[in-house]
Amino acid sequence: MLTFFRRNAGEVPTARQLLTDRFALFLSDKKYTRGIRWTIHLVMWLAMILLYTMMMSTYFSESMSVTMVLVTRNIVGSMVFFYFTFYFVIPLMLRGYVVPAILCLCLLFYFWSVISYLSSLLLVEDFYLTNDQLKRELMRVVGGGWSTTFSVMHILRISLGVIMVVAPPMVLKLVVDFTRSATRSLRLERDNLNLEVSFLKSQLNPHFLFNTLNNIYSLSIRNDSLASDLIMYLSEMMRYTLYDSNTEKVALSKEAEFLRNYVELESIRYGKNADIYFKCDPESLELHKISPLLMFPFVENAFKYSHSTTADHCWIHASMQMEDGRLVFEIANSKGEIPKNKEGVGGIGLANTRKRLALLYPGKHDLKIVNEPDVYNVKLVLTLI
C-alpha cells in the first residue's frame, strides 16, 4: 500500500519511502494535469509501437515495411479500442445503458475485423512476403472477402486474438486508474485522521475548560494550595494539545502524562466519594512512540458515563504498561442506567478511534470492549515494535 502520512521531525526516510511518496505525488490530482496525461499516453503508445515491432519482427521475420504495416494495424486498432472503451463504452455503462454499451463494444470487434481485412489486402497485393505462414493467413482473410469479415463466426474467431493485442495498454490504464483511486482514498483517510485529531483537541476546550476553571476559581477563593496543581495540570495539557501532538507520532511517555493530567483534573471534580486512579510508569514508556490522542476517547468516555449513570459511588480504574514490546492499555468504569439525554453520545468518538486503529495499526492492535449493565471495560493491546 502507498503511504502518505507525515513523518516525525528529524526522521530520515528510506529510499523506498521517498520513491513511494514521489510516485504518489505524481499521481495526485494536483500534479496529474492534462499535459502530464498527454505525455503518459504518448510514452505508452511509443512503448507499444516498440513492443509490437519486436513481436512482429521476431515472430514473422519479415521486412521492416511489412512489419510496420502489421504494427500500424495493431496500433490503430488498439488506440480505437482503448479510447472508445474507456471514454465512451464504460461511461455509457455506468449511466445505466448496459445494452447499448455492449453493442458498442461489439462494434469495436467489427472495426478490428475491417482494418485487419484492409491491411491483409494491402500486404497481399503490394508487398513481397517471405513467411509462408503469414502469407497463408493473409490469403485466408482476403479470400473470405467482406462477407467473412462481417460474419459472426469470424468475429468470434478473432476476438481472443484481439483481446490479447489490446490487453497491454488497457491493463496499464486500469493499473494507473486504480493506483490514483487508491492514492486519493488514502489521502482522504489521512485528512480525516487529521480532522479527527483536531476534533479531539477541540473537545478539550469549552465544557472541560469551563469546569476546570470553575474548580480552580473555587479553590483559589479558599486559598487552597491545590489550585496551583490544577493550573499546572491544565497548562501541561494545553501545551500537549497545541504543540507536542502536532506530529504523526509522539513519545508514549508524553501521551501517558497527558492522560494522567486529564484524570487528575477530572478526579477533583468528582470529589472524594469517587474511586479513581491511573496506574502508569512514564519512565518505562520513554523509548516508545504512538499516534497522539489515540486512547483519549476511551478515558473521556469513562468519565462521561461513570459520572452520569451512577447515582452514589462511582469508580474509574485505568492502567498503561509495556509487555514484550506491546502496549497494554485498560480502563474500566462503573456504569448504571444511561439517561435518555446521554443515549447514543460518545459512539462517534469510539467509532472514529476504531477507524484510526485500523488505519494506523493494521494487524497490530487488539481492541476488546465489554459492556455490562454495571461495568464498562476497554482493553487495547498495541504492537509498537
Side-chain angles (χ1 to χ4, degrees), residues 163-209:
I163 292 173
M164 292 178 64
V165 172
V166 303
M170 299 190 75
V171 169
L172 181 60
K173 166 70 172 174
L174 290 173
V175 169
V176 171
D177 286 350
F178 176 78
T179 305
R180 293 190 67 235
S181 177
T183 301
R184 190 180 297 109
S185 297
L186 287 176
R187 286 185 179 277
L188 288 174
E189 289 173 348
R190 179 204 61 184
D191 293 341
N192 287 337
L193 286 178
N194 292 337
L195 289 174
E196 168 65 11
V197 174
S198 300
F199 172 72
L200 290 174
K201 293 176 183 178
S202 68
Q203 281 183 310
L204 293 174
N205 292 332
H207 185 68
F208 172 74
L209 286 178

Side-chain angles (χ1 to χ4, degrees), residues 181-378:
S181 177
T183 301
R184 190 180 297 109
S185 297
L186 287 176
R187 286 185 179 277
L188 288 174
E189 289 173 348
R190 179 204 61 184
D191 293 341
N192 287 337
L193 286 178
N194 292 337
L195 289 174
E196 168 65 11
V197 174
S198 300
F199 172 72
L200 290 174
K201 293 176 183 178
S202 68
Q203 281 183 310
L204 293 174
N205 292 332
H207 185 68
F208 172 74
L209 286 178
F210 178 77
N211 288 332
T212 302
L213 291 174
N214 266 344
N215 291 333
I216 294 175
Y217 176 73
S218 300
L219 293 173
S220 62
I221 290 180
R222 301 196 303 267
N223 291 324
D224 196 319
S225 59
L226 193 58
S228 60
D229 293 334
L230 291 182
I231 294 175
M232 182 188 67
Y233 293 144
L234 184 60
S235 174
E236 290 295 328
M237 291 183 65
M238 293 299 101
R239 181 183 295 110
Y240 182 80
T241 56
L242 290 175
Y243 304 109
D244 296 341
S245 62
N246 288 328
T247 57
E248 179 190 352
K249 296 288 181 68
V250 296
L252 184 56
S253 57
K254 289 187 176 181
E255 180 79 2
E257 194 64 30
F258 168 80
L259 296 178
R260 182 191 293 276
N261 289 334
Y262 182 84
V263 171
E264 292 291 343
L265 284 172
E266 287 284 20
S267 62
I268 299 298
R269 182 163 64 94
Y270 276 59
K272 297 180 180 180
N273 292 329
D275 178 19
I276 301 174
Y277 67 77
F278 179 63
K279 292 183 179 180
C280 176
D281 181 13
E283 294 183 0
S284 65
L285 312 175
E286 195 69 40
L287 300 178
H288 302 280
K289 292 183 178 294
I290 193 173
S291 297
L293 302 174
L294 195 60
M295 292 162 288
F296 174 67
F298 299 128
V299 179
E300 182 189 43
N301 193 67
F303 278 99
K304 182 186 300 181
Y305 285 102
S306 179
H307 184 267
S308 62
T309 60
T310 307
D312 45 10
H313 178 73
C314 66
W315 56 269
I316 299 173
H317 300 162
S319 64
M320 180 188 294
Q321 58 186 347
M322 291 296 301
E323 296 180 0
D324 299 326
R326 298 186 304 169
L327 172 67
V328 180
F329 171 80
E330 189 168 6
I331 185 167
N333 60 273
S334 56
K335 176 175 163 287
E337 184 179 355
I338 301 178
K340 291 184 178 180
N341 63 338
K342 290 286 185 178
E343 290 181 357
V345 180
I348 296 178
L350 295 181
N352 288 340
T353 301
R354 289 180 183 271
K355 185 175 181 180
R356 290 188 68 203
L357 286 170
L359 292 171
L360 298 174
Y361 297 94
K364 295 184 178 181
H365 73 277
D366 180 27
L367 176 63
K368 294 181 180 179
I369 297 179
V370 178
N371 188 4
E372 297 180 351
D374 56 346
V375 176
Y376 192 87
N377 182 274
V378 176

